[in-house]
Amino acid sequence: MTAILQDAAQSASLDRLFTAAHAARENAYAPYSHFAVGAAVRTPDGAIFSGANVENAAYPAGCCAETGAIAAMVAAGGRQIAEVLVVADCGEGIWPCGACRQRIAEFATEDAVVHSAGPEGVRQSIKFAALLPRAFDRQTLESESG
Ligand code: THU
């Protein structure tokens, strides 16, 4: 593929990721925080899975949008995340919370990218490795020397 075609394909794929996360956000269940979040993950083969935050009267039982998107991916057989997009309507922009960074780390490819979006579109994109350096992962667990 030429560079221009590749750029166009990448931008179409990012549009699909944003559309999926944005649509999920419309269905967010956030009656306590009133902070609606949508998330979407893309596997290396192009499949997209989305989720929204689901709060609960027992606050700690609530789930983040990323958690829902990852659960949908796993239920469909997906095991790798190449891209994550999170969307909320907040001034400074949204990035996955600490617990969700750990959940993403379980499936992120080496060069996975995370996009932070507002309702109008993507604002910033960074490599996942920069969001959670030195993650506790499967290799750490398997390298136990005791
Ligand atoms: N939330 C997410 O869905 N994803 C994040 O990365 C950060 C926070 C949700 C959880 C809760 O429902 C609301 O945002 C306020 O914390």
Side-chain angles (χ1 to χ4, degrees), residues 82-123:
E83 254 180 311
V84 181
L85 188 147
V86 192
V87 57
D89 191 0
C90 55
E92 292 300 310
I94 182 170
W95 295 102
C97 77
C100 285
R101 290 178 198 202
Q102 184 65 34
R103 293 186 183 101
I104 294 165
E106 186 70 23
F107 302 105
T109 58
E110 215 172 297
D111 53 358
V113 173
V114 182
H115 308 280
S116 170
E120 76 293 343
V122 173
R123 294 177 182 175

Side-chain angles (χ1 to χ4, degrees), residues 29-119:
Y29 179 73
Y32 306 106
S33 72
H34 304 288
F35 190 80
V37 184
V41 298
R42 182 180 66 74
T43 62
D45 61 4
I48 288 175
F49 302 93
S50 60
N53 53 335
V54 182
E55 298 186 345
N56 193 284
Y59 292 178
C63 279
C64 284
E66 296 90 323
T67 306
I70 292 169
M73 178 195 79
V74 170
R79 292 293 184 272
Q80 279 191 304
I81 296 175
E83 254 180 311
V84 181
L85 188 147
V86 192
V87 57
D89 191 0
C90 55
E92 292 300 310
I94 182 170
W95 295 102
C97 77
C100 285
R101 290 178 198 202
Q102 184 65 34
R103 293 186 183 101
I104 294 165
E106 186 70 23
F107 302 105
T109 58
E110 215 172 297
D111 53 358
V113 173
V114 182
H115 308 280
S116 170

